[in-house]
Amino acid sequence: MFSKVLFGRFVPTNSVIHKLDPRAKLVLSMYFIVIIFFANSWQTYAWLAAFTLGTILLTKVPLGFFWDGVRPLIFIIVLTVILQIFFSSGGHVYWQWGILSITQFGLINGAYIFCRFVLIICMSTVLTLTTQPLMIADAVESLLKPLTKIKVPVYELALMLSIALRFVPTLMDESQKIMNAQRARGVNFGTGSLWKRVKSLIPILIPLFISAFNRAEDLATAMEARGYSGGEGRTKYRLLHWHTADSVACFVMVAATIILLTLRYFT
Amino acid sequence: MSTIEFNGVNFSYQVGTPFEVNALHDINVRISDRSYTAIVGHTGSGKSTLIQLLDGLIRPTTGTIKVGNETISSTSSNSELGKIRSKIGFVFQFPENQLFEETVLKDISFGPQNFGKSEDEAIVLAKEAMQLVGLDDSLAQRSPFELSGGQMRRVAIAGVLAMKPEILILDEPTAGLDPRGQRETMQLFSQLHRKNNINVILVTHQMEDAAAFANQVLVMNDGNLVKAGSPNEIFSNPEGLIGNHLTIPKTTKVANELTKGGFRFDPYPLTLEELSRQVAKQLESGSN
């Protein structure tokens, strides 16, 4: 059941996008999500879709992966689009029943929201498919560095983030194993009343928590034994390098924004 | 009564995704009732997938598995699979990770209760199981998390035995135990096999265990069942094992060296006792 989760799945294809600095990718993908909200017409959405498609093709990752990213969220997307269609008013009214109506603006807004969702999911999938989770953690650490000035424990946060990311797949494997062990002892997951279903989670959750505690204790001991004593005075093994390609990527994004704003305000 | 038959079983993980992995290819094998079967193979050869299929934890992609009168196929419903699971006890690798109840007794009686026993019946079964694995009665009301690693393993195994399975699947039950714990655990399973007529299926990397206890050995490699036969047939042919990334038991190694030096073994010695007995006999008769 967990095998379908796309989170933290990295697909190495050694493309241009893969080689970009993770800081650049993180900032640019967040920036892109913000500028999506500036789009307000067919031309602007068509331009953003073309831009996203271009990025996706550059990653050389099979398109199926992006579909896998959208699929689990399809229910939320469809629900939002339907609500938008039935509850928006304005423009030509095609059909009306009580407070429900299908109007011209409703249809258009529905379509826009659909585009927005798909574009956001695709762009964030580009980030996760082309960047190793540890690199994302490094990027977060490096981007938060300035916050150390106001006493934010950035180093500790980054350490927790990279340990957490590292253990996501391990804990998923572990929960799958515990689940199988309890099924073999006669637990039926996902059947019966709500109360029964909630109760059937206890035999997974307790062992999972206990093994997480044990794991944390072992990990802390192993870290201390290897001379770890906090963030002060440590050097870094993985260094992030800003290359020309990263500057080019930022430049491309600025150009894309200019085209978007031109389409928005001058057509 | 609980003969097991694999008929043309194929299994792939994540069918229909870019990550599809074919883990088992066309498995055909019959495991007779009341036998002790060892499944050997190097890491990733499909052993664990095979035993999970047998317990109905996953469904075959194609083919069928017959367990007694029940059949597992790609279309089996959950309730059918549940019926099969009630006959099978499955001791997972590091089973101490599955403990969760407040007391040892409650944890052991969890399995029987899930399969429809009343609380009182389950407690009687749990107490029997505790005795079987050599856990002292005084531990019954303790929390399983206060126990030592070896004791926790016993509690977990007792939790499986309390369900009175007809078939017992063991996935490396002795991994991480000290030599004495390993010996005692293996002896317990061998005893269950002989006295209670339980059909035992053991997945192991310890060739010595496979040679000493099993009466049928299945050799897996790369998702294929490459060989099935008696320990005699399997271990007297060391090339067949090495070719499948396996080691040969120490006894076999010594026996093979002695054969080169002129000793003749019949039957082929699988345990240290048998080897030394035959060597002693041949030395006495002075045939060399």
Side-chain angles (χ1 to χ4, degrees):
Chain A
M1 90 188 257
F2 296 116
S3 53
K4 298 240 158 51
V5 176
L6 205 64
F7 176 74
R9 181 176 277 165
F10 169 73
V11 184
T13 59
N14 212 15
S15 72
V16 196
I17 306 274
H18 280 78
K19 287 183 197 136
L20 286 181
D21 190 293
R23 285 170 296 183
K25 277 189 275 189
L26 189 62
V27 171
L28 289 180
S29 50
M30 286 203 243
Y31 173 76
F32 186 79
I33 289 168
V34 173
I35 64 166
I36 283 172
F37 291 94
F38 284 93
N40 67 342
S41 61
W42 290 117
Q43 295 96 313
T44 47
Y45 274 112
W47 163 240
L48 287 182
F51 185 79
T52 310
L53 190 66
T55 317
I56 287 175
L57 292 179
L58 269 182
T59 63
K60 293 188 196 158
V61 175
L63 290 176
F65 284 91
F66 293 92
W67 170 235
D68 280 350
V70 175
R71 197 167 42 188
L73 298 172
I74 209 99
F75 175 73
I76 298 174
I77 300 178
V78 169
L79 186 76
T80 324
V81 168
I82 287 175
L83 289 180
Q84 192 71 30
I85 289 177
F86 281 113
F87 290 102
S88 297
S89 54
H92 184 77
V93 177
Y94 300 110
W95 176 83
Q96 192 157 27
W97 186 77
I99 52 163
L100 296 178
S101 62
I102 296 182
T103 64
Q104 190 185 0
F105 284 8
L107 286 176
I108 292 173
N109 278 339
Y112 285 172
I113 284 195
F114 178 78
C115 291
R116 221 172 258 180
F117 265 115
V118 172
L119 291 178
I120 290 176
I121 294 166
C122 283
M123 224 19 148
S124 42
T125 311
V126 166
L127 176 73
T128 54
L129 287 181
T130 64
T131 323
Q132 274 165 323
L134 272 183
M135 296 303 271
I136 297 182
D138 281 350
V140 169
E141 181 185 3
S142 156
L143 291 169
L144 292 182
K145 236 331 128 44
L147 292 183
T148 43
K149 295 237 163 54
I150 55 165
K151 302 256 166 74
V152 177
V154 170
Y155 178 80
E156 278 73 16
L157 287 177
L159 181 75
M160 284 196 298
L161 182 64
S162 52
I163 291 176
L165 286 172
R166 157 67 188 77
F167 280 104
V168 166
T170 314
L171 284 177
M172 277 187 181
D173 277 357
E174 177 117 18
S175 48
Q176 187 71 61
K177 254 185 222 150
I178 294 172
M179 232 171 122
N180 272 343
Q182 306 299 21
R183 280 166 76 202
R185 289 168 84 192
V187 180
N188 259 323
F189 297 105
T191 53
S193 63
L194 187 66
W195 173 238
K196 236 179 140 184
R197 285 181 197 211
V198 171
K199 253 179 73 177
S200 73
L201 287 179
I202 296 173
I204 317 178
L205 286 182
I206 292 180
L208 202 58
F209 272 104
I210 286 182
S211 93
F213 285 138
N214 290 337
R215 209 184 286 279
E217 214 162 298
D218 289 348
L219 183 67
T221 313
M223 281 170 74
E224 275 186 350
R226 294 165 81 185
Y228 177 85
S229 57
E232 281 307 294
R234 275 170 65 81
T235 53
K236 284 183 78 71
Y237 174 66
R238 292 186 308 270
L239 293 173
L240 300 174
H241 294 290
W242 190 270
H243 296 289
T244 332
D246 302 309
S247 307
V248 172
C250 292
F251 179 75
V252 170
M253 196 55 103
V254 171
T257 316
I258 293 172
I259 295 176
L260 174 73
L261 293 178
T262 318
L263 285 172
R264 180 182 162 131
Y265 291 110
F266 299 103
T267 54
Chain B
M1 186 166 66
S2 49
T3 314
I4 301 160
E5 260 178 75
F6 283 78
N7 292 314
V9 172
N10 276 287
F11 181 78
S12 297
Y13 282 103
Q14 308 194 37
V15 181
T17 72
F19 300 100
E20 185 168 333
V21 183
N22 193 218
L24 288 179
H25 320 278
D26 194 31
I27 304 292
N28 288 293
V29 70
R30 188 170 179 281
I31 296 172
S32 49
D33 194 17
R34 294 169 191 187
S35 65
Y36 194 131
T37 305
I39 305 178
V40 296
H42 76 127
T43 315
S45 57
K47 310 180 296 279
S48 297
T49 310
L50 190 75
I51 51 177
Q52 284 184 38
L53 278 170
L54 179 54
D55 199 16
L57 294 170
I58 45 180
R59 296 182 181 87
T61 313
T62 57
T64 57
I65 303 157
K66 274 186 90 173
V67 181
N69 301 322
E70 315 280 345
T71 306
I72 306 175
S73 71
S74 59
T75 52
S76 297
S77 71
N78 270 328
S79 62
E80 285 172 321
L81 295 179
K83 222 184 278 172
I84 288 167
R85 269 181 229 141
S86 67
K87 285 202 268 180
I88 301 180
F90 197 138
V91 178
F92 279 78
Q93 237 177 73
F94 300 106
E96 53 273 28
N97 290 339
Q98 74 194 33
L99 304 176
F100 72 100
E101 278 282 13
E102 295 145 57
T103 65
V104 168
L105 199 63
K106 270 191 184 174
D107 203 288
I108 299 175
S109 58
F110 177 69
Q113 286 189 49
N114 281 330
F115 288 120
K117 294 273 188 294
S118 75
E119 205 175 325
D120 297 335
E121 286 173 306
I123 284 175
V124 173
L125 286 168
K127 287 199 168 141
E128 268 175 42
M130 278 181 74
Q131 224 162 33
L132 212 52
V133 298
L135 280 170
D136 199 75
D137 270 348
S138 61
L139 297 175
Q141 295 307 324
R142 294 268 293 275
S143 156
F145 302 111
E146 293 170 358
L147 305 181
S148 74
Q151 285 173 320
M152 282 168 79
R153 174 87 50 109
R154 282 162 198 258
V155 173
I157 292 173
V160 173
L161 295 180
M163 306 187 308
K164 295 257 173 207
E166 291 169 24
I167 301 168
L168 186 62
I169 303 175
L170 309 163
D171 191 357
E172 295 189 45
T174 59
L177 289 182
D178 59 37
R180 190 175 150 202
Q182 291 191 11
R183 206 170 47 239
E184 285 177 0
T185 320
M186 289 313 295
Q187 273 162 3
L188 163 70
F189 294 134
S190 158
Q191 213 176 8
L192 281 172
H193 165 63
R194 274 182 282 116
K195 285 199 186 145
N196 300 19
N197 289 318
I198 290 180
N199 196 346
V200 178
I201 294 167
L202 168 76
V203 168
T204 185
H205 285 291
Q206 311 269 348
M207 294 302 147
E208 282 77 13
D209 284 347
F213 295 108
N215 48 37
Q216 183 182 15
V217 180
L218 310 182
V219 182
M220 303 277 303
N221 189 16
D222 241 357
N224 293 302
L225 181 66
V226 283
K227 263 176 149 193
S230 71
N232 257 316
E233 290 160 15
I234 302 287
F235 292 113
S236 60
N237 167 21
E239 286 76 27
L241 288 173
I242 295 163
N244 291 305
H245 313 282
L246 291 170
T247 56
I248 48 177
K250 287 189 197 90
T251 319
T252 312
K253 256 186 214 161
V254 174
N256 288 341
E257 288 301 316
L258 289 173
T259 315
K260 280 182 207 156
F263 281 83
R264 289 285 164 269
F265 295 107
D266 184 49
Y268 197 79
L270 292 166
T271 58
L272 197 57
E273 287 74 26
E274 177 68 18
L275 176 69
S276 45
R277 196 182 60 79
Q278 291 198 28
V279 170
K281 208 171 93 188
Q282 291 186 38
L283 287 177
E284 252 170 40
S285 63
S287 60
N288 287 312

